[in-house]
Amino acid sequence: MMRALHAQYGHIPLPAMAAVLAAALGLAGCSDGRHTPLPAAVAALADPASREVAVARGTVEVQGGLVALSPAAEGTVEQVAVREGDTVRRGQLLLRLSSAGPQADVAVAEAESRLAAARRQARAQRLPALQAAAARLREAAAAGAADAQRSDESAQALRDAQSELAVADAEAAVARSTLAQARAQLARFALHAPEDGTVVRVQAQPGTHTTPTGGTAALVLLPKRPLVVRAELNETYADAVRPGMRATVVPDGDAPAGAALPTARVVRISPLYGAARLLDDAQRGPQRVIECVLEFDPSQGRNALTARPGQNVRVSFLHD
């Protein structure tokens, strides 16, 4: 078969023809019968802009994946502020737990902070008068117009007041730290969006109990990040694909003709082999694949990208 095809398309390099032949045969075994006929697939190599060196199945994913969110504290859900499908902004409230105890702790800490600040202010207000009195008695004692003992007593009173102010400063600092700690603890009972995105799943309702770890996430967020394709490249083509290579991406399934997505480019190839997950025919047995990650061409704009995370696609890797 290879000789017959090469006789007909002798201007096409044999390695490229062999890659497409293997790709066509590989996909034929697991497709639904709508694959491109072999001669047409090889003839497509005559166009330098569309020469395939390998094909692979893949899925569209958001860069970094979905974000599972839960409050940082354990407790009972008091309020769910969003619904599935809502678009949220970074910092927006998503969910709140019952927090009567932490709120009371914050109120006490605020009162203690105000008390410490008032004490500090009262002690600070005494200093100017004590400083002035100490200065006058020191000058008078030096001129012989006042008793030296009174000057010493005034100086000691000033030093005592300064020490008391230093203690008040420390007490006020401790009170502020305690208040900050109480507010941080209270913040753990509210869940806010870590970034812009869309809420795709709400798994907590008012009255339910939630924990920060070890359980089901309260909400799942689809972050507003670029989409990528994670393709499973058969081990046969391990040496045919490299980072930077261009690729076309089309929906895998009953998509209408011409439903191609924006072109993509290989950005990362895994150094490890793994088991294929995207198989139509499980009876063929396990297949070893290499994972490739592709990014869509940003110059075509986000509006041109109609793919959705989780969508299955077919990737055709092209000659440069």
Side-chain angles (χ1 to χ4, degrees):
M1 180 183 293
M2 179 66 72
R3 291 180 178 177
L5 290 172
H6 189 252
Q8 183 177 357
Y9 304 102
H11 60 289
I12 301 174
L14 276 174
M17 184 180 294
V20 170
L21 176 60
L25 292 175
L27 286 177
C30 58
S31 67
D32 53 9
R34 292 191 296 273
H35 57 278
T36 303
L38 182 57
V42 177
L45 290 173
D47 181 3
S50 61
R51 292 180 181 173
E52 296 179 352
V53 297
V55 292
R57 281 191 169 90
T59 55
V60 177
E61 298 181 4
V62 66
Q63 199 172 75
L66 300 177
V67 182
L69 300 172
S70 290
E74 180 176 355
T76 302
V77 177
E78 180 179 82
Q79 175 191 8
V80 179
V82 294
R83 296 179 297 179
E84 292 184 359
D86 285 354
T87 299
V88 296
R89 305 285 296 187
R90 179 180 180 181
Q92 182 175 334
L93 177 67
L94 305 178
L95 179 148
R96 191 188 305 278
L97 301 181
S98 298
S99 56
Q103 288 178 349
D105 293 340
V106 169
V108 171
E110 288 175 342
E112 291 178 346
S113 181
R114 290 193 296 270
L115 178 60
R119 287 174 177 170
R120 192 265 175 203
Q121 183 178 6
R123 290 171 179 173
Q125 289 175 344
R126 295 177 53 204
L127 280 183
L130 291 174
Q131 289 171 338
R136 288 196 304 270
L137 288 172
R138 185 172 57 252
E139 293 174 357
D147 186 13
Q149 184 176 355
R150 290 185 57 196
S151 177
D152 293 341
E153 291 174 350
S154 178
Q156 183 60 46
L158 176 60
R159 288 191 294 270
D160 291 344
Q162 290 171 334
S163 298
E164 291 173 357
L165 180 59
V167 171
D169 285 337
E171 291 175 343
V174 170
R176 289 193 299 269
S177 297
T178 301
L179 175 57
Q181 187 176 20
R183 286 174 173 169
Q185 182 64 21
L186 177 61
R188 291 164 52 87
F189 285 75
L191 178 62
H192 296 83
E195 56 186 301
D196 296 352
T198 302
V199 178
V200 296
R201 194 169 301 119
V202 177
Q203 301 176 130
Q205 298 299 327
T208 60
H209 190 80
T210 183
T211 58
T213 58
T216 302
L219 299 98
V220 178
L221 182 70
L222 172 64
K224 190 178 180 181
R225 301 179 195 155
L227 297 181
V228 299
V229 174
R230 199 174 296 274
E232 295 182 350
L233 181 66
N234 191 283
E235 60 180 332
T236 306
Y237 314 125
D239 296 329
V241 176
R242 61 186 182 277
M245 183 172 285
R246 206 163 47 86
T248 59
V249 182
V250 296
D252 189 6
D254 296 327
L261 300 171
T263 58
R265 193 168 295 274
V266 179
V267 294
R268 186 170 66 256
I269 300 176
S270 173
L272 305 175
Y273 284 105
R277 297 178 294 107
L278 304 175
L279 290 177
D280 289 340
D281 186 2
Q283 296 181 353
R284 297 185 62 197
Q287 295 186 24
R288 295 201 309 169
V289 295
I290 295 176
E291 186 179 81
C292 297
V293 177
L294 303 93
E295 290 181 353
F296 289 104
D297 183 358
S299 66
Q300 299 183 45
R302 189 176 181 87
N303 293 334
L305 188 54
T306 58
R308 292 174 179 268
Q311 180 178 3
N312 291 335
V313 295
R314 290 177 185 257
V315 181
S316 299
F317 300 89
L318 307 178
H319 277 296
D320 292 338

